């Protein structure tokens, strides 16, 4: 039976159809989940997609974190369900405490919309099990607040526990230790700033994102 | 009693402040020499109902920690005054 992936929509989310399309292209079934619902139904995995949830007011993700759906996402994650937050979705997951650290404004204060090259740093996450360590993937970024930061103690933990999932080969935004994506302790929640759902077809310039989202489908 | 609360949110020490750095460079370019330590934060103002100033401060600090700031990157100071 095909894997069902829930795609969360907050007011202001704008990448949900890209996520749905890439899930279905990879053989899964996408199901939109409205932020005001506190039940995920019988989904096998969850994507929190990009956009500007609740207008990014106060801070990106600060208000989205209190949407009823996030309680359900937290329970799903606690039960081991695979969850990936992309771009604004990554910001939401850090604000919700499902991932460590925070995303601050890009060094250089520019909104960045460009292809980036990512290096796979671990295959022990729900987003990278189809990859090999050292693989380089071309995946675009599209953000203003993508500069990952955390305190020194957390950074040491992320390294020691092999929780840096992806690094930028050429750091575009000032992220500490070139971090583009991290996972939680249980390795079933991953956040990344680049957009794999925008790189699932050669027509878009790269299909490398399919390795990542295909891994998510395998993990579900 | 009602209290006026002002929350001053700023980036923690050691967190890069690209907005502050850009303003500092711009000030220098405009000829304002000797301006340093520029930082950019935000201010949130509201009024709150509480028995006394201590309770108002406790409430305000609590909602700062849980919502108004992200403690990973931000600090805040809270000022409470009886509403005029």
């Amino acid at each position: 039976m095909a894997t069902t992936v829930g795609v969360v929509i907050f007011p202001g989310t704008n990448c949900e159809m890209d996520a749905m399309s890439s899930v279905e292209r990879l053989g899964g079934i996408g199901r939109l989940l409205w932020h005001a619902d506190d039940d995920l139904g019988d989904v096998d995995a969850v994507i929190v997609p990009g956009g500007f949830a609740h207008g990014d007011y106060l801070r990106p993700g600060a208000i989205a974190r209190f949407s009823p759906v996030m309680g359900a996402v937290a329970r799903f994650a606690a039960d081991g369900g695979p969850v990936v937050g992309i771009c604004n979705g990554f910001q939401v997951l850090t604000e919700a405490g499902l991932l460590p650290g925070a995303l601050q404004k890009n060094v250089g204060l520019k909104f960045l919309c460009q292809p980036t090259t990512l290096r796979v740093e671990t295959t022990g996450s729900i987003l990278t099990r189809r990859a090999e360590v050292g693989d380089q993937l071309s995946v675009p970024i599209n953000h203003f607040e993508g500069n990952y930061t955390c305190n020194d103690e957390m950074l040491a933990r992320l390294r020691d526990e092999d929780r840096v999932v992806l690094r930028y080969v050429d750091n575009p935004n000032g992220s500490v230790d070139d971090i583009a994506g991290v996972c939680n302790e249980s390795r079933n929640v991953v956040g990344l700033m680049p957009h794999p759902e925008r790189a699932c077809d050669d027509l878009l310039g790269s299909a490398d994102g399919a390795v990542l989202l295909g891994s998510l489908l395998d993990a579900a | 009693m009602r209290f006026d609360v002002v929350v001053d949110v700023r980036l923690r020490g050691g967190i890069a402040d690209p907005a502050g750095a850009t303003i500092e460079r711009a000030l220098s370019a405009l000829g304002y020499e000797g301006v340093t330590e520029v930082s950019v934060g935000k201010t949130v103002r509201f009024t709150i109902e509480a028995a006394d100033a201590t309770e108002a401060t406790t409430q305000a600090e609590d909602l700062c920690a849980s919502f108004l700031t992200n403690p990973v990157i931000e600090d805040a100071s809270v000022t409470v005054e009886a509403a005029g």
Side-chain angles (χ1 to χ4, degrees), chain A residues 51-181:
Chain A
F52 299 86
H54 296 275
D56 275 358
Y57 293 138
L58 193 59
R59 298 178 305 277
I63 296 173
R65 161 193 164 200
F66 294 105
S67 280
V69 75
M70 287 310 297
V73 169
R75 290 190 295 277
F76 181 77
D79 288 343
V83 176
V84 58
I86 302 169
C87 196
N88 191 229
F90 186 11
Q91 296 162 339
V92 172
L93 295 181
T94 60
E95 283 284 340
L98 294 177
L99 289 171
L103 285 309
Q104 55 173 338
K105 291 183 178 64
N106 297 336
V107 162
L109 278 183
K110 284 196 168 56
F111 190 99
L112 297 172
C113 182
Q114 63 195 51
T116 60
T117 304
L118 306 176
R119 184 179 188 280
V120 174
E121 300 292 352
T122 179
T123 56
S125 86
I126 51 105
L127 204 64
T128 47
R129 53 179 62 189
R130 278 194 191 181
E132 301 283 341
V133 171
D135 278 358
Q136 297 205 353
L137 308 176
S138 176
V139 182
I141 56 168
N142 186 63
H143 61 242
F144 183 51
E145 284 162 308
N147 177 355
Y148 184 79
T149 188
C150 60
N151 62 30
D152 292 343
E153 183 190 352
M154 180 52 72
L155 182 60
R157 272 190 65 189
L158 291 174
R159 287 176 181 152
D160 292 348
E161 296 171 5
D162 193 31
R163 289 167 56 191
V164 177
V165 177
L166 297 162
R167 281 195 172 90
Y168 300 108
V169 170
D170 185 9
N171 190 339
N173 56 21
S175 291
V176 64
D177 202 19
D178 302 330
I179 289 173

Side-chain angles (χ1 to χ4, degrees), chain B residues 1-81:
Chain B
M1 285 180 70
R2 293 203 70 77
F3 293 87
D4 290 327
V5 181
V6 179
V7 177
D8 177 30
V9 182
R10 57 190 178 279
L11 292 170
R12 297 180 77 120
I15 296 294
D17 179 2
T22 303
I23 290 169
E24 194 165 310
R25 284 197 300 275
L27 287 169
S28 173
L30 287 167
Y32 294 98
E33 295 300 335
V35 181
T36 58
E37 310 296 320
V38 177
S39 72
V40 175
K42 58 192 153 197
T43 303
V44 184
R45 294 185 174 82
F46 52 91
T47 67
I48 197 167
E49 184 72 36
D52 54 35
T54 305
E55 186 190 315
T57 302
T58 304
Q59 283 186 34
E61 286 175 345
D62 183 48
L63 65 89
C64 257
S66 64
F67 180 45
L68 291 182
T69 67
N70 179 335
V72 177
I73 53 173
E74 294 171 326
D75 268 333
S77 61
V78 174
T79 311
V80 172
E81 277 182 21

